[in-house]
Amino acid sequence: MGRRVLVTGGAGYVGSHIAVELARAGHALVVLDNFVNSSPAALDALRRLTGQSLPLVAADVRDRAALKALFARHAIDAVVHCAGLKAIREGEAKPLAYYDSNVGGAIALVDAMTAAGVKTLVFSSSATVYGQPDANPVSEDAPLQPGSVYGRTKRTVELLLEDTARSDRQWRVALLRYFNPAGAHPSGEIGEAPSSAAENLVPILAEVAAGRRQEIEVYGDDYPTADGTGVRDYIHVADLAEGHVAALAHLARQPGVTVLNLGMGRGCSVLEVIAAFERACGRQLRRRVVARRPGDVAMYYADPARANALLGWRARRDLDAICVDAWRWTGRR
Ligand SMILES: NC(=O)c1ccc[n+]([C@@H]2O[C@H](COP(=O)([O-])OP(=O)(O)OC[C@H]3O[C@@H](n4cnc5c(N)ncnc54)[C@H](O)[C@@H]3O)[C@@H](O)[C@H]2O)c1
């Protein structure tokens, strides 16, 4: 049965795709966003894609008065919490801003949810909570050793949600640890549109292909991987979004905290991604090998077996689909 779901950060990259899939599954949506890293234009696209009027609360998730008014106005059943800051390097330079937004935002939200009696929450966590993995694939039981401020804010929110659920057995919480979301909606209507320069490989490749950037810098080709470049688990953002719909259905059956990796379960090297993007855009892309970035990990990819088993979900779209959809989105902008 359709429920009314609040998506915080719903104008952003992942949140907008989640909103589309939730609407497709029959849920009614409310979006909260402060547009620090997105634009209201995403809401217009979302309204077209979902066919819903999509009430928008243009507010910061730390704004307690706005949250109180939101829960009083809309009969929310569940929340998907995507709002937050996510740039790893910026987090190192501005730790307080990251703790304030990510941890402060979660505290304000959980407080408002508790007051409103809404106790179902899906949280956008991240594989960065694992830090440098001891082994691959990375399962949910792997050691948690986040190596960045950003990763530590994510782990702190996980801990506060686990403690909240322990204090009150009515809570139903999914901690979804995303690997590397990439790609865009196949319609070309929504995709990654950060306010500042792209930091992730696929959007950078799209910028090179579109002539907005000269070349792609490959950070190191001397890692102990098959071709020497870093290996990551790229998951199509539409698959990721479907995982949230499945997680919400799971929480209806299962109280307490469920921790899940959302990834393909396969690693792709930087050179493999470049080759896939070249197939998608039909031209060769200039690349230059530069030094490794401090703190970068040679390889990590998910063990998604728990999500496969508990949710009946698996990532279905491959690297070529990711690149084709990312390129279509970039070409439209
Ligand atoms: N994209 C990734 O690579 C990735 C990987 C793992 C986890 N995540 C997590 O998933 C979530 C969504 O990521 P994304 O890639 O869509 O990022 P995004 O920046 O595109 O989306 C986040 C959205 O939240 C909004 N926002 C930020 N701070 C806010 C605040 N204080 N109040 C209200 N709105 C706020 C932004 O304007 C934006 O629309 C984030 O929590 C991120 O940490 C992302």
Side-chain angles (χ1 to χ4, degrees), residues 161-214:
L161 292 173
E162 285 168 356
D163 287 339
T164 301
R166 203 172 300 114
S167 74
D168 175 351
R169 300 287 169 183
Q170 290 179 348
W171 278 87
R172 296 162 187 266
V173 176
L175 307 178
L176 303 185
R177 294 178 179 157
Y178 309 167
F179 279 66
N180 289 64
H185 193 266
S187 66
E189 290 259 12
I190 52 171
E192 193 161 7
S195 304
S196 44
E199 281 198 7
N200 294 334
L201 178 59
V202 173
I204 288 175
L205 286 168
E207 289 182 356
V208 176
R212 292 180 210 144
R213 213 186 254 252
Q214 286 252 301

Side-chain angles (χ1 to χ4, degrees), residues 1 57 113 151 256 259 328:
M1 200 182 72
V57 177
M113 288 176 68
V259 183
R328 185 185 300 109

Side-chain angles (χ1 to χ4, degrees), residues 8-15 32-38 59-62 81-86 101 124-127 150 154 178-181 192 200:
T8 74
Y13 173 46
V14 175
L32 176 141
D33 207 297
N34 68 355
F35 301 112
V36 68
N37 197 34
S38 56
D60 195 294
V61 72
R62 290 163 291 185
H81 181 38
C82 300
L85 301 177
K86 64 159 184 177
S101 174
S124 298
S125 190
S126 164
Y150 167 72
K154 288 289 172 190
Y178 309 167
F179 279 66
N180 289 64
E192 193 161 7
N200 294 334

Side-chain angles (χ1 to χ4, degrees), residues 138-155:
V138 181
S139 83
E140 291 83 352
D141 301 322
L144 300 171
Q145 42 203 12
S148 64
V149 169
Y150 167 72
R152 286 188 286 277
T153 67
K154 288 289 172 190
R155 182 59 193 143

